[in-house]
Amino acid sequence: MNILAIDTSTDWCGVSLFQDGRCKDIIEKYIPKKHSEFLPIFFESIIKNSNFDKNNLDAIAVTIGPGSFTGLRIGLGFSKGIAYALNKPVVPVPTLDVIGNDPDISFDDFLVLLFSHRNIVYVQKFLNKKPKGSPKASNFNEIDLKSNIVHYGCDKLLDSSSYVETHPSAEVVGNLALQNFKEWKIDEPYTLASNYISPFEIG
């Protein structure tokens, strides 16, 4: 299966190309607030460098949230544009699943944290490396810091280098899309929207 995978959920921007179920090329860079400028460039570069015919794609995978409001909007909008042009499905991939499936994570049970703003973080529990429940926005002071923690962007809140930090990777986006293709794919993504998880929903 051939999949184009896109991540714009944080300050990183990534595009990966999977051919026959394997990641053949990837471009990832830390480019805060420049996703709209670089995402099309990354896309064209990865297609050109791989000498790949876009019409041979089976789907477009993209991080669906939570994450940066602007970044998610740009990534999903770009993914929809390609999907419409090529008549391909979109596979929305949860951002915290992407972080929690980083291949360098060495423990089975942990919390994934993604910084939102001020002292608000998005959080989800993983047991046996599988997500439990749904991600939610939470006050950082309510987080159990005795747990194993994998995070992105929470350095100042955690105030320690002993926690694992990793950014969402477009390669992991593609792998998760392949693993969950039948369950997650959206054949007509006209109404597909990013999962922003408003911090105002905190109870």
Side-chain angles (χ1 to χ4, degrees), residues 1 23 27 39-41 43 50 62 65 82-83 100 103 117 135 137-138 141 145 159 186 188 195 201:
M1 183 173 290
C23 185
I27 301 175
L39 181 55
I41 296 174
F43 168 68
S50 302
V62 61
I82 299 173
H117 66 286
S138 177
N141 296 327
L145 296 182
D159 194 29
I186 307 293
E188 297 181 357
N195 182 16
E201 295 176 2

Side-chain angles (χ1 to χ4, degrees), residues 10-79:
T10 66
D11 291 332
W12 285 77
C13 180
V15 178
S16 65
L17 177 65
F18 283 70
Q19 292 179 254
D20 299 322
R22 298 183 63 183
C23 185
K24 294 297 184 179
D25 200 2
I26 183 170
I27 301 175
E28 290 186 314
K29 289 187 178 181
Y30 179 78
I31 50 169
K33 300 180 181 180
K34 293 185 178 180
H35 297 80
S36 61
E37 177 183 350
F38 282 93
L39 181 55
I41 296 174
F42 291 176
F43 168 68
E44 292 297 339
S45 295
I46 209 165
I47 293 296
K48 182 178 180 180
N49 293 342
S50 302
N51 194 27
F52 182 79
D53 184 347
K54 292 179 283 190
N55 291 295
N56 290 329
L57 285 170
D58 294 299
I60 317 300
V62 61
T63 40
I64 199 66
S68 162
F69 180 88
T70 302
L72 292 173
R73 179 176 55 81
I74 291 170
L76 181 57
F78 188 81
S79 299

Side-chain angles (χ1 to χ4, degrees), residues 17-199:
L17 177 65
F18 283 70
Q19 292 179 254
D20 299 322
R22 298 183 63 183
C23 185
K24 294 297 184 179
D25 200 2
I26 183 170
I27 301 175
E28 290 186 314
K29 289 187 178 181
Y30 179 78
I31 50 169
K33 300 180 181 180
K34 293 185 178 180
H35 297 80
S36 61
E37 177 183 350
F38 282 93
L39 181 55
I41 296 174
F42 291 176
F43 168 68
E44 292 297 339
S45 295
I46 209 165
I47 293 296
K48 182 178 180 180
N49 293 342
S50 302
N51 194 27
F52 182 79
D53 184 347
K54 292 179 283 190
N55 291 295
N56 290 329
L57 285 170
D58 294 299
I60 317 300
V62 61
T63 40
I64 199 66
S68 162
F69 180 88
T70 302
L72 292 173
R73 179 176 55 81
I74 291 170
L76 181 57
F78 188 81
S79 299
K80 282 184 174 181
I82 299 173
Y84 293 152
L86 301 178
N87 193 29
K88 305 296 181 180
V90 170
V91 183
V93 181
T95 307
L96 300 192
D97 281 39
V98 178
I99 297 173
N101 277 273
D102 186 292
D104 291 333
I105 296 174
S106 60
F107 29 74
D108 295 331
D109 301 340
F110 52 93
L111 295 178
V112 170
L113 306 182
L114 174 61
F115 180 74
S116 174
H117 66 286
R118 296 197 300 271
N119 66 336
I120 303 300
V121 297
Y122 302 112
V123 59
Q124 188 166 20
K125 180 181 292 187
F126 280 66
L127 297 177
N128 295 319
K129 295 189 176 182
K130 300 293 183 181
K132 298 298 178 183
S134 300
K136 64 178 182 178
S138 177
N139 189 305
F140 178 76
N141 296 327
E142 299 174 357
I143 303 298
D144 178 12
L145 296 182
K146 295 180 181 178
S147 303
N148 293 317
I149 290 177
V150 179
H151 75 97
Y152 178 76
C154 300
D155 310 67
K156 293 181 179 179
L157 293 174
L158 291 169
D159 194 29
S160 172
S161 60
S162 62
Y163 302 105
V164 177
E165 180 172 19
T166 182
H167 67 82
S169 168
E171 182 173 357
V172 178
V173 174
N175 282 324
L176 288 173
L178 287 168
Q179 295 168 20
N180 301 278
F181 185 76
K182 291 183 178 179
E183 179 184 355
W184 290 358
K185 78 179 179 79
I186 307 293
D187 291 310
E188 297 181 357
Y190 303 106
T191 60
L192 183 61
S194 298
N195 182 16
Y196 295 115
I197 309 182
S198 171

